[in-house]
Amino acid sequence: MNKIILLSISLLTFSCFAEAKQKIHTDSVTGAKTWSTQEHGVYFSLTQILPEQARAFYVNRGFSLKQIEPYVSSCVYMTVLRNDKAAGSIHFISNNWTLLVNGKPKNLIAVSEWLKRLESESAKKSALIAFRWAQFPPEQEYEPGGDWNQGMLSMGLPANEKFDIVARWDIAGKHVETTLKGVRCAK
Amino acid sequence: MLNKLISSVAFIFISSLFFSEHIYADGLPPLTHKLTAIKKTVKAPALRLKNLDGDVVDLKDFRGKVVLVNFWATWCPPCRREMGSLERLHQATKDKNVEVLAVNIGEDMDTVFSFLGTVDPSPYFQMLFDPDASSMKTWNVNGLPTTYIIHKDGTIAYRAVGGREFDHPNIIKSILELTK
């Protein structure tokens, strides 16, 4: 009997850890979903930012509704990448990450491209500075032990679109990638 | 013996589930308390900005002191989370040859002043203003918050990318060791 119990617990433990690669969490207040994974000693997550939340944030930073609308309705996520215990420092360029929409690859819109569009709309300088630094870093390096950033990342997709995202970085010169599957843009 | 083993496995299993959910339940990683030592000798870039009183503060005037330089903004969630701990660090080290300088990026004094009123404990360290974010380039800052600890001789001793608990004993110890 004890052997059966032990075997069951072992199998349950194994299956939970096998599936623990990707997790989905729903915020009980806002309903926003977070997709996260922990691989290679690195934590990576995307949390839906609802369009009204992003709109309020940027209007408070000095953008007009017209200026910021294309961005806030482009499927924006609060993105976290953190080097907990990788084998060394990690380096990434977020423009090297790929979206897969219905299996077809798609590039992210670069922060510099968003800035160009907003400048052409004559946005205020202080608003542009806030925009630039509120974005997830286009390029960054994190040391093990907890270097991390949190920032906004636009997928350039319509509301409710479903996609996979392949994030890539180098750990001590070795190329590594991780995928979050079935991520959904906020409605 | 087997019962003990079963109990142990069950305990580890349940604990690990709780722990992993507990850490990331709000989608935010916890603030950490590790600083990255800079092994190469790198001189800190220049920093000359106005403070809340409109007086110009120059980093080079603090030569001989250990200086913490923190780049932040009021709209940056981890910056807000770590601000109270910066003040507790300031209180613990202000009489020990340590200076704390927080550099606000791109915001006006009114915005910063109203935010500071919400921080507990209220910050008494120097608050500097970089209205055009030019120091982000000279200091090689790619994301907020980023913090540098400057040695007494003006070289960079440590760097921290992302939010930290600056009043953690490990961080206070690392900083105080630089004053010796």
Side-chain angles (χ1 to χ4, degrees), chain B residues 128-142:
Chain B
L128 310 184
F129 291 83
D130 182 1
D132 61 4
S134 56
S135 60
M136 303 292 267
K137 196 169 183 183
T138 54
W139 282 75
N140 194 27
V141 174
N142 294 321

Side-chain angles (χ1 to χ4, degrees), chain B residues 56-73:
Chain B
V56 173
V57 174
D58 196 330
L59 177 64
K60 74 175 191 308
D61 294 338
F62 296 105
R63 194 62 59 85
K65 277 188 157 189
V66 173
V67 186
L68 181 150
V69 181
N70 171 258
F71 295 91
W72 75 288

Side-chain angles (χ1 to χ4, degrees), chain A residues 149-160:
Chain A
N149 279 126
Q150 166 185 345
M152 296 191 196
L153 190 65
S154 158
M155 303 301 159
L157 295 172
N160 210 31

Side-chain angles (χ1 to χ4, degrees), chain A residues 2-3 5-6 9-10 12-13 16-17 23 25 27 34 36 38 43 45 47 57 61 78 80 82 84 125-126 129-150, chain B residues 2-3 5-6 9-10 13 16-17 20-21 24-34 36 74-75 77-78 81 105-107 111 131-133 136-137 141-146 159-164:
Chain A
N2 277 343
K3 281 183 183 173
I5 294 170
L6 181 59
I9 290 174
S10 303
L12 187 59
T13 305
C16 284
F17 277 110
K23 289 180 180 174
H25 169 78
D27 187 288
T34 297
S36 65
Q38 241 172 333
Y43 173 79
S45 73
T47 300
F57 177 85
R61 307 277 88 73
M78 194 269 279
V80 172
R82 171 186 169 108
D84 286 320
K125 193 179 173 191
S126 60
I129 289 172
F131 179 89
R132 162 62 187 88
W133 294 104
Q135 303 311 299
F136 188 70
E139 182 170 6
Q140 185 59 290
E141 195 168 325
Y142 301 132
E143 295 294 332
D147 268 0
W148 66 295
N149 279 126
Q150 166 185 345
Chain B
L2 190 58
N3 280 340
L5 184 63
I6 292 169
V9 170
F13 170 63
S16 64
L17 282 183
S20 58
E21 288 300 323
Y24 299 121
D26 60 358
L28 293 177
L31 301 178
T32 54
H33 46 263
K34 184 176 178 291
T36 299
T74 63
W75 43 259
R81 288 169 68 198
I105 298 303
E107 295 180 288
T111 304
D132 61 4
M136 303 292 267
K137 196 169 183 183
V141 174
N142 294 321
L144 294 178
T146 293
R159 185 183 78 152
V161 176
R164 293 294 190 278

